[in-house]
Amino acid sequence: MQPNIIATPAGIACPVCQAATVIHDVLDFNKICLEDRQHSMPLCGWPVYYHRCTDCGFVLAPEFGRWSEQDFQQHVYNERYVEIDPDYVSARPLGNADFLQQLFGEQSAEIRHQDYGGGSGVLSDKLSERGWNSSSFDPFPRSERTVGDLGKFNLVTAFEVFEHVPDVNELMDNITALMEDECVVIFSTLLSDGNIEPNKRLTWWYAAPRNGHISLFSKQSLIKLAEQRGLQFGSFNGGLHCIFNRLPRWASKLTG
């Protein structure tokens, strides 16, 4: 049984910049990312409305902001999720660990690393095997352990986390709470620029409620979220980004 779905009014405020949003399109809840690989699920008849900010371009599915943790566990992150996103178990975190090792391996003795939204900790475990001071935390499902218990770090990562959160401000507050005075945050999420446009249907493969992709970011929306917290933002490409307060010396290569 699906959660109680209440029609979401148009014109709700954007959680990033507080400008008005408009209903951009509606997708079936069973829309998945793997449709890009000629794999799909049958329609289930649950309408999921995506709203677009008319200012910063952030796109959200506001209905999920009313879901409980139990709703997410039952309908999104359930026993079938591995079929929806098979790479999340090990292929993606191991690949990201290799990326970090290649990028910062020679400087790892200077790094205190926290992998935020790290699931079962595969990425952090792999880095720890290589001698890193690395730990992992996932806010879902909630436990007695909180962000405030973790301490401060000079490298925070959040791979494929941003698009899953129903509250982007809580996400940013949690991440900034982990940052030392000199810290860089490296995170991945695909930019919607060129993929979501006014007066065009939402056909982008990355917009997928069954995957839990409910927050879709334009570059401008990420810049605003960073600037609101006194942080600088940069993109390496359309899917990999960073925010930082002051770059640690070991991370100076990022400006090269």
Side-chain angles (χ1 to χ4, degrees):
M1 180 179 295
Q2 69 191 73
N4 292 327
I5 294 179
I6 304 171
T8 305
I12 66 169
C14 171
V16 173
C17 69
Q18 301 305 308
T21 67
V22 296
I23 295 177
H24 184 85
D25 208 344
V26 58
L27 300 179
D28 187 86
F29 176 78
N30 269 359
K31 166 70 166 56
I32 63 174
C33 290
L34 284 176
E35 289 183 0
D36 193 49
R37 306 181 197 175
Q38 286 72 53
H39 178 77
S40 64
M41 293 182 66
L43 297 177
C44 68
W46 300 6
V48 177
Y49 288 86
Y50 282 78
H51 291 227
R52 175 179 46 80
C53 176
T54 57
D55 183 11
C56 74
F58 178 65
V59 171
L60 70 156
E63 147 189 340
F64 292 97
R66 298 188 292 268
W67 275 30
S68 68
E69 185 172 283
Q70 290 70 33
D71 289 331
F72 280 103
Q73 288 177 315
Q74 181 178 354
H75 299 289
V76 179
Y77 307 112
N78 54 28
E79 68 281 353
R80 293 200 63 189
Y81 192 73
V82 68
E83 303 172 32
I84 307 302
D85 184 12
D87 291 344
Y88 94 94
V89 177
S90 61
R92 188 179 300 124
L94 290 176
N96 289 331
D98 288 342
F99 163 73
L100 292 172
Q101 177 66 25
Q102 182 179 11
L103 186 62
F104 294 131
E106 294 181 358
Q107 294 81 32
S108 61
E110 303 176 61
I111 295 174
R112 293 173 300 282
H113 170 239
Q114 174 65 227
D115 186 33
Y116 182 87
S120 61
V122 172
L123 183 154
S124 182
D125 289 345
K126 177 57 69 173
L127 291 180
S128 296
E129 290 174 6
R130 294 170 172 170
W132 285 54
N133 179 359
S134 177
S135 56
S136 180
F137 173 77
D138 202 305
F140 182 89
R142 296 185 187 275
S143 66
E144 294 182 1
R145 190 170 177 233
T146 67
V147 167
D149 300 324
L150 303 178
K152 302 285 187 177
F153 304 86
N154 59 8
L155 174 63
V156 178
T157 53
F159 291 108
E160 297 298 304
V161 173
F162 275 58
E163 64 273 13
H164 290 270
V165 299
D167 187 338
V168 297
N169 288 299
E170 180 183 45
L171 168 69
M172 290 297 295
D173 291 344
N174 284 348
I175 286 177
T176 54
L178 296 171
M179 298 175 69
E180 291 185 350
D181 291 339
E182 292 185 355
C183 178
V184 60
V185 179
I186 294 178
F187 65 99
S188 64
T189 193
L190 291 185
L191 295 178
S192 64
D193 301 64
N195 295 301
I196 300 178
E197 300 179 9
N199 304 315
K200 291 186 178 180
R201 300 303 301 265
L202 183 54
T203 58
W204 189 26
W205 68 269
Y206 201 61
R210 183 61 183 84
N211 281 76
H213 288 194
I214 57 179
S215 293
L216 306 174
F217 295 85
S218 65
K219 185 173 184 178
Q220 184 60 29
S221 66
L222 291 173
I223 291 172
K224 285 182 177 291
L225 284 170
E227 290 180 343
Q228 289 163 3
R229 292 159 177 84
L231 303 173
Q232 299 184 65
F233 169 84
S235 281
F236 304 105
N237 52 49
L240 187 66
H241 323 282
C242 70
I243 54 176
F244 58 93
N245 40 27
R246 293 198 301 272
L247 273 181
R249 181 178 57 84
W250 52 262
S252 60
K253 65 176 67 178
L254 297 180
T255 63

